[in-house]
Amino acid sequence: MSRLVRLGKGLAALGVLVGLVVGIPWALWHFVGWPLPHHVPSAAQVGRALDRQGIPAQTLVDALAVVVWLTWATLVASLSVEIPAALSGRHARRLPVAGAFQPLTGRLVATVVVACLALAPRPAHSGASSGSAGRAGLLARRPVAALVVHDATLTASATRNLVTPAFPLSPASNGSAVPTTAAPSAAASTPVTYTVQRGDTLWGIAQRELGDPLRWSEVYQLNEGRPQPGGVTLTDPHWIDPGWTLVLPTSTPPAPAAPAPAGPTAPAPVPPPAPRSAPAPSPSPTTTPSAPPPTPTTTAPAATTHPPTATVPARSHEVSSPDGVSHEQREPVRLPSGSVVAASFAAGVAATLAIGRLRRRHAYRYRPPAPGRTRATEPWRPTVAHLRRALAEREAAPEPTSGPVPAMPVDDDERRQDPGRIDIGTLRGEPVTAELVDLCGVALEGITADDVARAMLAALVVRAGPGAAEVLCDDTVAERLFPGLPAHRTLRRAASADQVARAVESERVARIRRFDAVGAADAEQFRRENPENPLPLLFVVLDEVPAESLGRWAALLADAARLAITVCFLAPTPIATGTLRLDATRMVTDAEPAGRLGALAGVGLFGLRAEEVVEVLAAVMEATDEGDLDEEDEAASPAAPDGAADEPWPEPGPPLPAVADGGEERPVVVRVFGHLEVAVSGQPVVTGLRSRGRDLFAWFMLRPEGATSDEAVDVLWPDTAPGRVHGQFWRSFSDLRGRLRELAGRELEVLTKAGEHYRPAASEIACDLWGFQAALREASATDDPEQARAALRRAVGLYRGDLLAGADRPWIEPARQDLHRRALDAHLRLAELEERAGHTESAVEFLERAIDADRYAEEPYRRLMTLHAAHDRTGALRDVWRLLQGRLAELDLDVEPATADLYRQLTAPDTRPVGHDRVRSAR
């Protein structure tokens, strides 16, 4: 909401208040006068009045005036309570006689206060400025928050490198950093966050957290309009809800922000780099002051940041060495083809895919629990697999496999405020970060120009996420850069270069109108003041520009950067605003003009080949498009034509650790739910078993019916050459059998052969998956509620977590999602049986365990809210609702309409639940 709108509403509310407080008594006194008798009537007068037919008109008017006077007094009393409360930032006490007047007056007073706050100077945002004049050179931008993504599909954390603004160097400085433009101070404090608790007010938060209750207005200004759980925003200082995350100002009141220029200005010139023969020495990190640690803007425990250490400025490029991130972890990822991408890009891809899987889980729908599993395999994308492996190999220690994840690979506010800030290359082993808008109009020349453009657009798509960036090019350029990749909401295609120009002109007009409507000078100011109104960065890729279109494109380039439109040329053109000449290794050999692009000379830019960018973008687009888990399950069913549910699973044996009825122990115990665990004769197999042996063993646990060696190698190691399939299988099998025999101290056959098929030796192995399947089979086959409850208790007890948590293989994920759904089915069915048996607390326990197993599926929350409502637990019901809203906000998801309708129905005062009928109606 713009300041002008808020000011208009405030003036209107002030006018209404003045009219009510002053206008009503003036009108009553002027038109009615004193409504009460001037003396007490005598008994005779009262008698005559009662004998008279009808009531005099003046008497009616006076009586009505008395009622209005009493109403006006109630209104004034409400104002006398609401105004001091609004000024002090606390909730006003309720007046018993005020009725509906107090909420009305509270709203009017709040509107006036908000209008007054709109006139006050806003606190300066760290690193943000209005317009392009606030940028300190080409590559100096706001710091990017680092975070870690935890998920069962990732074996390592996806860490976004921290970067800090760097100042350009003067040739005469001999390596000393001399600021040439006003830039945000590296020592400036960054905001912290606070999670609202029940009973909190802005006044109380400011008093407790900042030591000064009068600073409540600063807290309100910082958080006004920020998205909160449930899709709401802070628009009234009177109302804040538990679970909201508020950004708090620094410990000292911020200074007013410097006024921004009315329009964009050219970036400050950057001196050319020093000659290669005499490079300027970089200052030692020990002598450069460290920047303060940034504070994360999310309260999710999985999102963490690392404070930056000393930044070594060189040629105005932006480099970083974040504390806690090793040099190996910051090294770029090199693909087998010779392509190179940033470690932050690989982390973003892995995080996007993991989050996409969790978003698909949100669409879970209950089915009666039944045994089975899918044999489907994820499409094998070598590039994506290599990026994941590179991240896993760089992680020193395994990360937890459960817990919340942020909505995107970087903080949501940061992505939308600055979607084009990406790592574009390396210089002297450090990542170089640039803003794509600052490269608008630059032409890439050289045989590797297409590879560099692919890396840039892929990094933009991954960094920005859906809705925050778009790529536009014609069909010819699209087929050259990413052949075969279909058009997408993020990848827009036009039939010709002329149609690309028309699309850009249309977009330009639309953006100018949007800016004028809110009084924004440029895209940066628009995003900062209108966070609820996304403005994607438009990345236009062009080849040669026809001569007749040069003037047209020159006009578009004049203000493209101001409108968050960047144009990249893949061939020389006279209208280019700069040129980067690349050699065969993608190194920038020449950058013109030196004052603007000289900082990039000598930088080795990242690049991707056509097949690689297609693999990555296809995976990312699938992950960001919302899917339905039920539809995926149905699509996977043809992969098991003989019916996985009807296959004879091996007898699970006694509870793990296995002890048979006859006292004989099954020597090998395997747990595949959670992290893979193998024990032989009670001794855990910790070392000595190679990863290929573990993979082979786990895969056969999922296939107790057996498979040939060719089938196993084709799934587990699809890149194996045809002549090496037999050797690959036997090396892995020998490693597995040799290690288990060594621990058992005797001959032990874990895989038996029948013809060409190998299958697990059920007489030697006890597996939790087999027990889980047997329990589901027993529960689905019986009509006895007690027997079904006992079987389902065994099933949920065996499910310790997702299948092979922490392992990332194409054959694992479909089975993992399928078994995860079956486990949720078992939890919900068990809770239903417990409730019918009268065990309410046990039913609540299993529903809460289902929510712990899947924090984003709404069905367990719906059932738990219905159960609480059936037993008049209104407080617990509301807690579950707020918990659901907060967790879905982690993935930037809204509550489903069916869940919202159910919550309103359950909390409506005239629809109290009655027993189990209400519970069944909600399912």
Side-chain angles (χ1 to χ4, degrees), residues 259-270:
T265 59
V270 181

Side-chain angles (χ1 to χ4, degrees), residues 308-321:
T309 59
T311 299
V312 185
R315 298 185 183 178
S316 184
H317 66 278
E318 191 173 306
V319 299
S320 64
S321 300

